[in-house]
Amino acid sequence: MTTTTAPAAERTARQLAENGVLSAAGTTALARLEAEAIHIIREVVAEFDRPAMLFSGGKDSVVMLHLAAKAFWPGKVPFPVVHIDTGHNFPEVIDFRDRTVERLGLRLVVGSVQELIDSGELQERADGTRNPLQTVPLLRTIADNRFDAVFGGARRDEDRARAKERILSLRDEFGQWDPRSQRPELWNLYNGRHKPGQHVRAFPISNWTELDVWRYIAYENIELPPLYYAHEREVFHRDGMIRAVGPFSQPTPEESTETMQVRYRTVGDMSCTGAVRSGAVNNELVLREVAEATVTERGATRADDRLSEAAMEDRKKDGYF
């Protein structure tokens, strides 16, 4: 993550404008989204006793942490970051996570899917995917640390279930989400009222789109894990997705492999995340690619979201992100 000074940001904006990827109106829209997100982060820190922020090393959580750093600059981010580690993450992302935490002097709290599998409290799924197993360690981590507000990088454009969310989403004493019991939110007045045992999920970039996120990354020159940019990788095809060959993602004898130039639009668990064929090796090329995309990144590259029409909503009701 890079803290960009105002002159540097102006130079970046000018370069993006000259290359036709960010207009003056686009810069103004980004400034409004940034101001809203920083306002939400500051409001939650002011109103709650034990906030924390989910940080996986994915682009949305990287942007959210960047906004938190700006919200409290020159002080440090005043809460820990939480990662629910499936044990099947991309190594590049775990390396990026650890470097970021060390650089910003943050406290990292890890909830481990692998530990619960080893203890017999969770069982591996028949399809080998682990994203759906994250709910139990997430809720346990929140309860063990008595977090009363947890920032998440979910956006409304990702999925219909996430489009229903308030900025502050109430979770009951079991960590579950009921769309009918959410607090009303009028304009930018956020309602954090909750009872003992309940907690709130807060979504500062809920109103952003994938394109907004990439414009902001380019504008602020924010570092990301390298697999977000096109690179050659050994892959195979399964269920209409391009899957990487790796320790947690292996082809069957009937599936052939090839080397292809790909990048990732989302970097979830390696066992269920697909790549896209791409030549976008830098932010400007990624921006052009995302602007032409007709499918959201979750719909295009996440096998766990294809389990059913209501896969995300069902997991959210159980307490997922």
Side-chain angles (χ1 to χ4, degrees), residues 231-237 242-246 249-251 256-262 264 270 275:
H231 57 286
E232 287 197 343
R233 204 171 192 115
E234 187 179 13
V235 300
F236 59 97
H237 296 266
I242 301 171
R243 306 286 285 271
V245 176
S249 177
Q250 287 290 319
S256 60
T257 65
E258 62 179 305
T259 299
M260 184 183 294
Q261 190 173 31
V262 299
Y264 286 83
M270 196 174 191

Side-chain angles (χ1 to χ4, degrees), residues 125-140:
R125 292 168 52 88
D127 60 9
T129 62
R130 285 192 169 183
N131 265 8
L133 301 180
Q134 290 178 295
T135 300
V136 173
L138 170 64
L139 296 181
R140 183 167 299 182

Side-chain angles (χ1 to χ4, degrees), residues 174-219:
F174 303 106
Q176 297 176 330
W177 175 63
D178 181 354
R180 295 167 298 184
S181 66
Q182 299 303 301
R183 310 293 190 211
E185 287 182 342
L186 304 177
W187 301 285
N188 62 347
L189 301 176
Y190 307 115
N191 191 337
R193 183 164 57 90
H194 62 288
K195 299 175 183 176
Q198 297 177 336
H199 72 273
V200 163
R201 307 281 174 88
F203 301 111
I205 62 170
S206 186
N207 291 327
W208 298 43
T209 66
E210 183 186 12
L211 192 57
D212 292 328
V213 169
W214 275 105
R215 283 171 172 158
Y216 192 71
I217 288 167
Y219 181 72

Side-chain angles (χ1 to χ4, degrees), residues 87 112-124 130:
S112 172
V113 171
Q114 186 64 57
E115 286 183 6
L116 295 185
I117 291 174
D118 293 342
S119 68
E121 295 174 85
L122 282 178
Q123 290 187 331
E124 290 274 20
R130 285 192 169 183

